[in-house]
Amino acid sequence: MTLPRRSRSAAALFALAAAVFAFAAPATGQVRAGALPDFTELYEKQAPAVVSIDVTQKVRRSRFPELAEDDPFYEFFRRFGQIPRPRGAPEREPEAQSVGSGFLISSDGYLITNAHVVDGADEVKVNLADKRDFKAKVVGVDKRSDIALLKIDAKDLPKVTIGDPEKLKVGEWVVAIGKPFGLDNTMTAGIVSAKGRDLPQENLVPFIQTDVAINPGNSGGPLFNLRGEVVGINSLIFSRSGGYMGLAFAIPIDVAMTTVNQLKDKGKVTRGRIGVQIQEVTKELAEAFGLPKPAGALVNSVEKGGPADKGGVEADDIILKVDGRDVRSSNELPRIITVIRPGTKVTLGVWRKGQLRDVAVTVAEIPDDGAAPQRRTPPAKEKAKPNRMGLSLADLTDEQKKELEVKSGVLVEDVAAGVRGNVQPGDVILAIISRGTVIEAKSAEQVNALLSKLEKGASVALRLRRGDAQFIATVRLNNGE
């Protein structure tokens, strides 16, 4: 049967629309509801290896004398909320309780949690998913990485599978199982928001950032990928309220297992060091040192007599490699060095005077923390006029050089308003760096002359001494005079 002209036109339009829809459909297929993952099988297989941890800690309080209720001082203490123990009554110490999470890594009862979960604990009880509970022994604790290894007396236990955090991708689905607010075996899901996060005072751990709902009680629990492998330990949250706000941080499981293996074998963790102070290499600093792109860790100072000093590392070197492994940022260097066994000889690839060279260094052990003595800031005299960089400079006196233990340097007496760069009054300029050349700062006149040759808007890298610390700062020319 032949369709009328209008019907044929409508049919053609319908076919065209269908073709366009069919062509466009695959472009939106990635966001179909059916593409969302199903976590049921993961939970059924992995939840039995997740445990909840109850911690009891005795609260030490000041002792009050035994007083009878008719004693005049009894009423005095009672009014201020401190009820003295009645005469002859048994003394009881109050207890504080807290909860956390953990997971079994072996069938014979070894499990991991956060160090802060069991910190100061008098008793640790582990509750399994099958409702059995055990008193746990704390095998070892490492506060630097926030990892604790526990042991319970049991056999044939379920255990997790350890994954590889290096294979994690931002945007990948991950799930947590733990005990938030005391609710056993709670599962929450989200994605990897970022990798290698650096947090204040936590420079040894490249945290995995997620938007998985993590709350108090989740600490120490596992973070799983969709293959059911543990890739991290939920440790920190960013919160203004104490609860979940979409920013959670997990310790990569490879970092944790390095710590766990040492705790299991030796009961403590040893870490390597080479004895350098470092800072990040910015775009401006890379340009000043003649480095093709920002990378590595800039050496500010070398500990006298330390491993790096003995190996020939110098201030102003940029460490780009450790045994062939790239050091992409300054934060990566301590993470690489600390996991190397003390006594091991490593080859550092350093950028010095526009060339890459190898330096052999024997890694030493990090000693107990100790506070370094603080030197006072050199006193300023009558201030000089500011130079083109907006800095008022003066020569160091012999007394100041002796106190700072430097052969030469120039004192920054004042910094004009509008100067861009991390320079403060009281800093000492030790050197000027330009295009890979390091020029020792010997006098205020010399430094002012060097700066006067810079073009308007140029920037310069200065090696500075502030207190006991040395670092490099870039400063932009203040004016064109």
Side-chain angles (χ1 to χ4, degrees):
M1 183 177 70
T2 304
L3 293 173
R5 183 182 300 273
R6 182 175 297 177
S7 298
R8 289 201 301 270
S9 300
L13 289 172
F14 180 80
L16 178 62
V20 171
F21 178 81
F23 179 77
T28 59
Q30 294 181 353
V31 294
R32 293 195 309 270
L36 293 176
D38 183 353
F39 305 113
T40 54
E41 185 177 351
L42 189 155
Y43 182 84
E44 290 170 358
K45 290 184 176 180
Q46 304 303 328
V50 181
V51 304
S52 61
I53 298 173
D54 294 329
V55 175
T56 302
Q57 182 179 8
K58 293 178 181 179
V59 179
R60 276 71 178 177
R61 63 181 182 182
S62 58
R63 296 175 178 270
F64 290 93
E66 296 182 2
L67 299 175
E69 292 187 14
D70 58 354
D71 191 297
F73 284 101
Y74 186 93
E75 182 63 18
F76 172 80
F77 284 113
R78 189 190 68 79
R79 287 187 178 183
F80 285 92
Q82 304 290 349
I83 306 299
R85 181 162 53 93
R87 187 171 295 162
E91 185 175 5
R92 298 178 61 185
E93 284 189 296
E95 296 179 341
Q97 295 186 331
S98 59
V99 298
S101 305
F103 54 97
L104 293 157
I105 59 171
S106 69
S107 58
D108 59 349
Y110 282 99
L111 62 118
I112 302 176
T113 188
N114 281 143
H116 74 260
V117 170
V118 297
D119 186 29
D122 289 298
E123 183 180 83
V124 179
K125 187 169 72 171
V126 171
N127 303 295
L128 304 186
D130 61 10
K131 305 304 180 184
R132 289 184 293 167
D133 58 79
F134 299 86
K135 283 188 177 180
K137 174 187 176 183
V138 179
V139 177
V141 171
D142 180 55
K143 291 185 178 181
R144 284 181 184 262
S145 61
D146 196 22
I147 296 297
L149 178 65
L150 311 183
K151 178 72 167 64
I152 59 175
D153 188 12
K155 296 181 179 179
D156 301 322
L157 297 172
K159 63 178 182 177
V160 299
T161 301
I162 303 300
D164 184 0
E166 289 293 325
K167 295 180 180 179
L168 268 183
K169 295 181 179 180
V170 174
E172 182 177 339
W173 281 95
V174 284
V175 300
I177 304 177
K179 191 179 182 179
F181 298 112
L183 302 172
D184 290 350
N185 288 88
T186 297
M187 172 183 269
T188 52
I191 63 169
V192 176
S193 303
K195 292 178 62 180
R197 281 293 192 216
D198 303 313
L199 300 180
Q201 309 302 321
E202 301 286 350
N203 65 331
L204 295 185
V205 178
F207 285 94
I208 303 167
Q209 180 186 331
T210 74
D211 67 353
V212 178
I214 300 296
N215 285 290
N218 272 117
S219 291
L223 183 73
F224 293 99
N225 61 22
L226 289 189
R227 292 183 293 277
E229 301 166 336
V230 174
V231 290
I233 302 174
N234 298 305
S235 179
L236 299 168
I237 61 173
F238 175 84
S239 175
R240 298 185 186 277
S241 63
Y244 170 69
M245 290 187 69
L247 293 172
F249 301 92
I251 303 166
I253 193 63
D254 55 346
V255 174
M257 291 307 296
T258 298
T259 299
V260 164
N261 291 334
Q262 291 197 56
L263 291 175
K264 189 175 181 180
D265 295 340
K266 301 180 291 185
K268 67 173 186 176
V269 178
T270 57
R271 291 184 169 87
R273 63 184 291 270
I274 58 174
V276 292
Q277 288 186 352
I278 58 174
Q279 74 177 75
E280 189 68 12
V281 179
T282 64
K283 181 181 178 181
E284 293 80 9
L285 289 176
E287 187 177 317
F289 281 93
L291 198 62
K293 63 179 181 179
L298 173 59
V299 178
N300 284 326
S301 62
V302 181
E303 176 189 322
K304 189 175 182 179
D309 184 34
K310 293 177 180 178
V313 177
E314 300 176 2
D316 301 326
D317 283 348
I318 298 178
I319 300 176
L320 297 174
K321 294 179 179 292
V322 178
D323 278 346
R325 177 177 174 180
D326 290 337
V327 180
R328 292 169 293 186
S329 68
S330 62
N331 289 318
E332 285 193 353
L333 182 62
R335 294 171 188 164
I336 295 172
I337 296 297
T338 53
V339 298
I340 297 175
R341 187 177 62 185
T344 303
K345 181 174 286 188
V346 297
T347 301
L348 305 180
V350 303
W351 182 263
R352 182 186 300 168
K353 296 180 180 179
Q355 293 183 338
L356 184 64
R357 61 185 69 192
D358 291 337
V359 177
V361 173
T362 301
V363 177
E365 184 176 347
I366 291 181
D368 294 334
D369 293 335
Q374 297 294 318
R375 292 189 176 93
R376 61 184 178 88
T377 302
K381 302 177 183 179
E382 184 179 350
K383 294 178 182 177
K385 293 182 180 180
N387 58 25
R388 293 184 68 204
M389 304 294 290
L391 306 177
S392 299
L393 306 180
D395 295 336
L396 289 177
T397 65
D398 292 339
E399 182 182 353
Q400 290 168 344
K401 292 177 183 178
K402 184 177 180 180
E403 182 180 3
L404 291 168
E405 298 178 355
V406 297
K407 295 180 179 179
S408 63
V410 175
L411 176 65
V412 179
E413 291 189 326
D414 198 13
V415 180
V419 173
R420 297 172 58 186
N422 183 19
V423 183
Q424 299 177 6
D427 288 349
V428 174
I429 300 175
L430 301 177
I432 299 172
I433 301 126
S434 178
R435 297 182 180 181
T437 301
V438 180
I439 304 171
E440 186 179 359
K442 297 182 178 180
S443 69
E445 182 181 2
Q446 172 221 17
V447 173
N448 287 333
L450 289 170
L451 297 180
S452 68
K453 298 177 182 178
L454 295 176
E455 297 179 359
K456 181 178 179 179
S459 60
V460 65
L462 304 176
R463 168 161 295 287
L464 300 176
R465 173 74 172 267
R466 182 178 298 165
D468 281 336
Q470 289 189 29
F471 62 97
I472 293 179
T474 53
V475 183
R476 190 168 294 280
L477 191 65
N478 196 37
N479 54 57
E481 297 177 1

